[in-house]
Amino acid sequence: MDRIVSGIRPTGNLHLGNYFGAVKSFLRLQEEHDCFFFIADYHSLTTHPSPDDLAGSVKNVLVEYLACGLDPEKAVIYLQSDVPQVAELYLLLNMNAYMGELQRVASFKEKARKQPDNVNAGLLTYPVLMAADILLHKAGKVPVGKDQEQHLEMTRNFAKRFNHIYKTNFFPEPVAYNFGHQLVKVPGLDGTGKMGKSENNNNAIFLGEDLKKTRKKIMRALTDAGPTRENQEKPQEIKNLFNLMSIVSPQPVVAAFEEQYNQCTIRYGEMKKRLAEDVITFIEPIYEKIHTLHNNNQYLEDVMKEGARKARESAQQTIEEVREITGFKKFPR
Ligand code: ADP
Ligand code: TRP
């Protein structure tokens, strides 16, 4: 059974794209593997959120992932800052992480450009903390999107270097479990590319937003004037609408609208109405769960406590061995 670790940045609300991307693969992985999923709250300090914003977004992301079906009985779900061993491993790994290589990381260069007044050391050593997250549980596989591959390559370098310096094969060299290419890309509503929270608020369908708002957004999704020739090629915005429908609607419904498109009898209003219904049918149980969980602080506290206990146990084992290997030996020596 593979040991899997993945970190979730506590930023923004989950949308349908996130669900069919990252979240769904977590749901699958937790059934088959030994999974550690954590909320990367230390990492978010690199951008200096206010304490209230940090606490709020951590709760939010926990609630939304649980509502989607991440299951504390199946996976270890914990908060990064509840496991102090990660800070120790980060410190030790930093001793063998070099300025040059850290400065060359694409995400660092981008962040430095975006926040020139706050190019802090945490930003520079972000990949070291990420490596510590992963190596702390000696994970072999890390489910991440394409944008994280360079960070994972650095994790392998740090693991290799540690093994080389201390003449051991203690750390495995984790590989990306890349779900990006095997999962559907969920298109957005504005007719351009994929659904994403950064585009604009009407492009993405959020799992926790008011369902009336969801319906409105879908009814306003960009469409063209309609086909004028039979079997005409679809423009991008119409392709997107059909793609979205094929993700949430029964196949015969999609086929019926395809047929209407090909016959030039399609009424986009009807199609969007049906799409909105099917999206809402899909989202509603998650939506309700989000709102119930938000009010159930006791349950959330219990989940975090139990996750912290399990994650610390695994972390402590690793850190004790790492201390031994690096020469911080127990007395008598
Ligand atoms: P956003 O693009 O909204 O900022 P993130 O970058 O936070 O989303 O995405 C987190 C994960 O969700 C990504 O690793 C990616 O796999 C998945 N994801 C995001 N948008 C989509 C989408 N439209 N379709 C499929 N997966 C997506
Ligand atoms: N850097 C990751 C992201 O931006 C989040 C993350 C932090 C992570 N630590 C990790 C992902 C460890 C996988 C493993 O999405």
Side-chain angles (χ1 to χ4, degrees), residues 32 74 163 181 248 277:
E32 301 157 8
K74 294 177 180 159
N163 290 346
H181 55 87
V248 293
E277 258 153 48

Side-chain angles (χ1 to χ4, degrees), residues 9 11 13-23 65 144-147 179-180 183-188 193-199 204 206:
R9 267 178 305 129
T11 50
N13 294 98
L14 286 181
H15 51 69
L16 267 189
N18 300 133
Y19 183 88
F20 287 101
V23 182
Y65 272 83
V144 283
K146 265 225 146 346
D147 61 326
F179 48 78
L183 285 175
V184 283
K185 267 236 153 64
V186 181
K194 67 172 194 137
M195 183 174 289
K197 57 181 159 291
S198 43
E199 321 308 323
F206 293 98

Side-chain angles (χ1 to χ4, degrees), residues 28-174:
R28 214 181 45 232
L29 287 170
Q30 71 177 358
E31 299 296 331
E32 301 157 8
H33 301 284
D34 184 16
C35 292
F36 286 75
F37 298 129
F38 68 94
I39 301 171
D41 56 349
Y42 277 146
H43 280 281
S44 43
L45 286 185
T46 54
T47 56
H48 294 183
S50 75
D52 281 348
D53 284 349
L54 178 63
S57 41
V58 164
K59 178 174 178 183
N60 214 39
V61 73
L62 172 65
V63 160
E64 295 200 339
Y65 272 83
L66 290 174
C68 288
L70 220 66
D71 185 350
E73 304 278 321
K74 294 177 180 159
V76 180
I77 302 168
Y78 68 99
L79 195 56
Q80 187 183 32
S81 61
D82 275 341
V83 182
Q85 290 88 344
V86 78
E88 183 171 346
L89 185 57
Y90 167 61
L91 179 145
L92 295 172
L93 292 175
N94 265 326
M95 304 302 169
N96 297 314
Y98 298 104
M99 282 295 279
E101 63 184 341
L102 295 172
Q103 280 169 326
R104 282 193 298 274
V105 176
S107 63
F108 172 71
K109 288 198 269 191
E110 194 190 323
K111 274 278 159 65
R113 197 167 39 76
K114 271 198 195 149
Q115 50 183 69
D117 300 329
N118 185 17
V119 187
N120 59 67
L123 214 49
L124 182 70
T125 56
Y126 185 111
V128 188
L129 182 53
M130 182 159 160
D133 293 325
I134 297 166
L135 300 176
L136 193 59
H137 303 296
K138 301 176 82 174
K141 288 198 176 136
V142 185
V144 283
K146 265 225 146 346
D147 61 326
Q148 296 298 312
E149 265 167 22
Q150 193 181 17
H151 289 159
L152 209 54
E153 191 186 327
M154 305 216 34
T155 302
R156 283 192 293 275
N157 288 340
F158 297 142
K160 244 187 287 192
R161 200 172 294 160
F162 180 94
N163 290 346
H164 178 75
I165 292 173
Y166 295 106
K167 300 186 179 54
T168 166
N169 56 6
F170 183 69
F171 284 126
E173 290 173 33

